[in-house]
C-alpha cells in the first residue's frame, strides 16, 4: 500500500525564491501542454504525444530566449508537470466515457500564479536525498530544514514540495508499506463497534461511549470574523490586502489542521481497539444543502470515514458501511419493532412494544452494528477484513505505535 507522509519545511529566503521559481516553471510547462492540446483540438489534429510535448516544451524551449529560464530548475520538475497534464486529460476522457468512478471531471484548465496551492514533485531521478543532519536536499534548491514528527517506515520513492494558501511549506513523501507488517503491529481483538455520527455528539458508539463534537470552526468564528472584516476593508490589489488574505487563510488552516488531527486520533483508536467497525453511509452533500450546512461541514464526517476505510485496509480490520436508508433511528435495538420516524428534537424515546427506554443515538449505533452483521462477532465469531480501497494519504497521523520520532 502506498501512503503519504507530510512534514513541515522551513526554507530560508534564498530557498523560498528557488522554490517560487520551480513552482512558476512547472506551472508554465503545464499551461503550455494544455495550450498545445487545445490548439490541436481546434485545428482538428490528433493530440500531440507526451514525448513530442517533452521535446518541444522543455528541451527545445530551453534553447529559446523566451523560455531559457526553464533551465534554472530541475528538469525532473518539468517532466512531472507534463505527467500531471497527461493524467488530467486521461482522467477527463475516462470520465466522459463513464469508466472513471466518482463525479464527472471537466477538461484541464490553465493554472494561475495566484492559485492558493503550489506544488512540484521530485522523483528518484532528481537525486534528492535526506542529509545526515536531517535536512531535505533538493536539486537547485539546497538543503531545506525539515521538522520531523516521526520516522519514515521505508525509503520514499518521491517527494512533493507543497506551498499551501497560508504560505506554509510541506514535504509529502510517498512510501510503500507492507500490509502484513502493519497488521502484525495491531493488537489482537475480537471487539466490534457500531458508530452513529452526529452533530451534538460527533460519534456515539454501540458500547454507550459518547464523543463530543469539538466544533473547530464554531470556536474560531470570532477570530475568523475579525480577519475577514479586515480583509474586506483593504483595497484590492494592494499589499495590505494580500497580508489580510494570508491572515484569513492561516485561521482556516488552523481549523482544518485541528479537525484533521482529531479525526486521525479518533480513527486510529477505533481501529486499534476493534476488529470490526460499522458506520452509516451518510449523504453529506444532501445534508450540506440544509440549514445545518455549516455544522455538517464543521464535523467533517466524510474525511473521518475515509480515514477509517484506509486504516482498516492497512491494518487488517473490517469496515462495513450501512446504507443511508436503513431505519436505524426508528427500530428498537432490543425487540426489533419499527416505531416510525421521529423529529431530531426527540433524543430519547420508549419502545411501544417492549417498553425499553432508548437514547436515540445509542440505539442507532446498536442498530448500525446489527445491520452490518457484526453483532455476532462479540460472541466469538471471527470478523474477516474485506477488500476495502485504501486512501493514499496519511498526512497528520502519528501512526501506530509512535516509536522513535528522530529523523
Amino acid at each position: 500500500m502506498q501512503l503519504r507522509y507530510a512534514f513541515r519545511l522551513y526554507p530560508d529566503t534564498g530557498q523560498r525564491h528557488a522554490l517560487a521559481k520551480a513552482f512558476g516553471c512547472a506551472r508554465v510547462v503545464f499551461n503550455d501542454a494544455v495550450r498545445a492540446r487545445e490548439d490541436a483540438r481546434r485545428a482538428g489534429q490528433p493530440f500531440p504525444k507526451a514525448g513530442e510535448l517533452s521535446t518541444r516544451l522543455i528541451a527545445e524551449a530551453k534553447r529559446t530566449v523566451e523560455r531559457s529560464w526553464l533551465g534554472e530548475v530541475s528538469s525532473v520538475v518539468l517532466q512531472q508537470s507534463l505527467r500531471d497534464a497527461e493524467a488530467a486529460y486521461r482522467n477527463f476522457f475516462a470520465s466522459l466515457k463513464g469508466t472513471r468512478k466518482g463525479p464527472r471531471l471537466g477538461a484541464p484548465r490553465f493554472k494561475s500564479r495566484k492559485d492558493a496551492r503550489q506544488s512540484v514533485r521530485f522523483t528518484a531521478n532528481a537525486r534528492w536525498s535526506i542529509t545526515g543532519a536531517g535536512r531535505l536536499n533538493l536539486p537547485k534548491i539546497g538543503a531545506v530544514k525539515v521538522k520531523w514528527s516521526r520516522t519514515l517506515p521505508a525509503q520514499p520513492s518521491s517527494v512533493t514540495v507543497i506551498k499551501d494558501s497560508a504560505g506554509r511549506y510541506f514535504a509529502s513523501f510517498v512510501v510503500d508499506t507492507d500490509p502484513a507488517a502493519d497488521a502484525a503491529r495491531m493488537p489482537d481483538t475480537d471487539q466490534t463497534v457500531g458508530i452513529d455520527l452526529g452533530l451534538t455528539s460527533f460519534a456515539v458508539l454501540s458500547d454507550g461511549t459518547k464523543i463530543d463534537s469539538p466544533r473547530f470552526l464554531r470556536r474560531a468564528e470570532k477570530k475568523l470574523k475579525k480577519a475577514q472584516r479586515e480583509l474586506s476593508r483593504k483595497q484590492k490589489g494592494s499589499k495590505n490586502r494580500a497580508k489580510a488574505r494570508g491572515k484569513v487563510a492561516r485561521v482556516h488552516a488552523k481549523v482544518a489542521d485541528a479537525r484533521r488531527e482529531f479525526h486521525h486520533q479518533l480513527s486510529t483508536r477505533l481501529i486499534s481497539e476493534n476488529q470490526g467497525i460499522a458506520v452509516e453511509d451518510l449523504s453529506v452533500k444532501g445534508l450540506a444543502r440544509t440549514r445545518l450546512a455549516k455544522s455538517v461541514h464543521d464535523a467533517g464526517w466524510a474525511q473521518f470515514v475515509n480515514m477509517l476505510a484506509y486504516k482498516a485496509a492497512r491494518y487488517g480490520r473490517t469496515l462495513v458501511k450501512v446504507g443511508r436508508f436503513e431505519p436505524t433511528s426508528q427500530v428498537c435495538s432490543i425487540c426489533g419493532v419499527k416505531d416510525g420516524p421521529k423529529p431530531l428534537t426527540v433524543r430519547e424515546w420508549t419502545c411501544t412494544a417492549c417498553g425499553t427506554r432508548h437514547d436515540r443515538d445509542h440505539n442507532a449505533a446498536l442498530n448500525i452494528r446489527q445491520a452490518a452483521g457484526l453483532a455476532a462477532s462479540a460472541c466469538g465469531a471471527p470478523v474477516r477484513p474485506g477488500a476495502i480501497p485504501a486512501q493514499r494519504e496519511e498526512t497528520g497521523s502519528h501512526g501506530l505505535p509512535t516509536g522513535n520520532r528522530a529523523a
Side-chain angles (χ1 to χ4, degrees):
M1 178 185 295
Q2 285 189 324
L3 295 176
R4 287 191 175 272
Y5 285 75
F7 303 89
R8 182 78 180 270
L9 294 180
Y10 294 92
D12 56 29
T13 303
Q15 292 168 348
R16 285 198 296 269
H17 288 313
L19 285 172
K21 191 179 297 183
F23 293 148
C25 291
R27 181 179 64 249
V28 167
V29 171
F30 183 92
N31 290 343
D32 287 346
V34 174
R35 186 177 295 107
R37 293 284 179 90
E38 288 301 307
D39 292 343
R41 182 186 63 83
R42 293 191 185 97
Q45 300 175 354
F47 274 12
K49 301 296 183 180
E52 179 185 347
L53 290 177
S54 176
T55 302
R56 188 204 314 174
L57 302 180
I58 298 179
E60 295 179 357
K62 289 180 180 180
R63 305 189 189 103
T64 63
V65 178
E66 296 81 4
R67 291 286 192 267
S68 59
W69 34 265
L70 290 177
E72 299 177 7
V73 302
S74 173
S75 60
V76 174
V77 168
L78 308 181
Q79 293 291 346
Q80 293 302 311
S81 186
L82 280 182
R83 286 176 176 266
D84 291 341
E86 187 77 14
Y89 274 102
R90 187 166 55 250
N91 292 335
F92 168 59
F93 290 128
S95 181
L96 286 179
K97 296 177 182 178
T99 58
R100 186 182 187 275
K101 296 182 180 180
R104 293 192 61 176
L105 299 179
R109 297 179 295 179
F110 295 113
K111 292 184 178 181
S112 171
R113 68 178 64 185
K114 297 181 181 179
D115 287 345
R117 185 181 184 275
Q118 305 280 348
S119 65
V120 290
R121 186 166 61 254
F122 298 88
T123 59
N125 295 333
R127 297 182 181 179
W128 60 272
S129 62
I130 300 175
T131 66
R135 289 177 175 255
L136 178 62
N137 191 15
L138 300 172
K140 297 190 178 182
I141 293 175
V144 185
K145 181 181 177 181
V146 185
K147 180 66 175 179
W148 299 101
S149 58
R150 52 189 167 158
T151 306
L152 290 173
Q155 180 67 25
S157 58
S158 67
V159 58
T160 303
V161 179
I162 303 168
K163 181 183 179 183
D164 66 2
S165 59
R168 303 176 301 177
Y169 294 86
F170 294 91
S172 179
F173 297 92
V174 176
V175 177
D176 290 316
T177 61
D178 184 8
D182 290 336
R185 293 164 54 193
M186 299 299 293
D188 294 332
T189 179
D190 59 353
Q191 298 296 319
T192 61
V193 66
I195 306 174
D196 179 63
L197 300 175
L199 297 177
T200 305
S201 297
F202 176 78
V204 177
L205 309 184
S206 55
D207 60 4
T209 304
K210 290 190 176 183
I211 301 168
D212 294 333
S213 179
R215 303 172 186 259
F216 295 107
L217 180 61
R218 296 287 186 180
R219 285 158 48 184
E221 275 186 330
K222 185 176 181 180
K223 185 181 295 185
L224 184 60
K225 181 179 179 181
K226 180 181 178 182
Q228 289 175 330
R229 187 190 303 119
E230 293 177 354
L231 173 62
S232 66
R233 292 172 178 171
K234 298 297 185 291
Q235 184 179 358
K236 291 186 177 181
S238 64
K239 292 185 177 180
N240 285 335
R241 183 177 178 84
K243 294 178 182 178
R245 185 166 57 246
K247 290 182 180 179
V248 175
R250 283 191 290 273
V251 176
H252 279 294
K254 187 175 181 180
V255 171
D257 290 346
R259 183 188 297 116
R260 188 184 304 110
E261 182 66 18
F262 168 73
H263 288 164
H264 269 299
Q265 291 182 3
L266 179 58
S267 60
T268 300
R269 179 165 68 88
L270 292 174
I271 290 293
S272 176
E273 296 175 353
N274 300 277
Q275 176 63 42
I277 299 174
V279 64
E280 192 173 9
D281 184 19
L282 297 173
S283 176
V284 178
K285 288 186 177 180
L287 292 171
R289 291 193 291 265
T290 66
R291 60 184 178 86
L292 302 174
K294 182 182 289 188
S295 298
V296 169
H297 286 306
D298 192 11
W301 294 326
Q303 177 178 255
F304 174 71
V305 174
N306 287 338
M307 289 181 182
L308 284 176
Y310 87 83
K311 290 181 181 181
R314 179 184 182 186
Y315 294 112
R317 305 305 202 195
T318 299
L319 177 68
V320 181
K321 294 183 181 180
V322 177
R324 64 189 62 172
F325 299 109
E326 190 75 22
T328 55
S329 298
Q330 305 176 22
V331 177
C332 174
S333 59
I334 302 299
C335 62
V337 173
K338 186 176 180 180
D339 207 12
K342 304 166 187 64
L344 291 176
T345 54
V346 177
R347 308 314 304 172
E348 293 184 356
W349 56 282
T350 302
C351 178
T352 56
C354 64
T356 305
R357 185 72 174 175
H358 291 294
D359 177 87
R360 180 192 183 104
D361 298 330
H362 183 214
N363 179 73
L366 290 171
N367 287 328
I368 290 172
R369 179 168 167 263
Q370 181 70 30
L374 300 180
S377 63
C379 302
V383 178
R384 297 183 179 179
I388 305 173
Q391 179 174 315
R392 294 163 61 95
E393 182 268 337
E394 203 190 40
T395 304
S397 171
H398 295 291
L400 283 174
T402 56
N404 185 12
R405 296 193 175 202

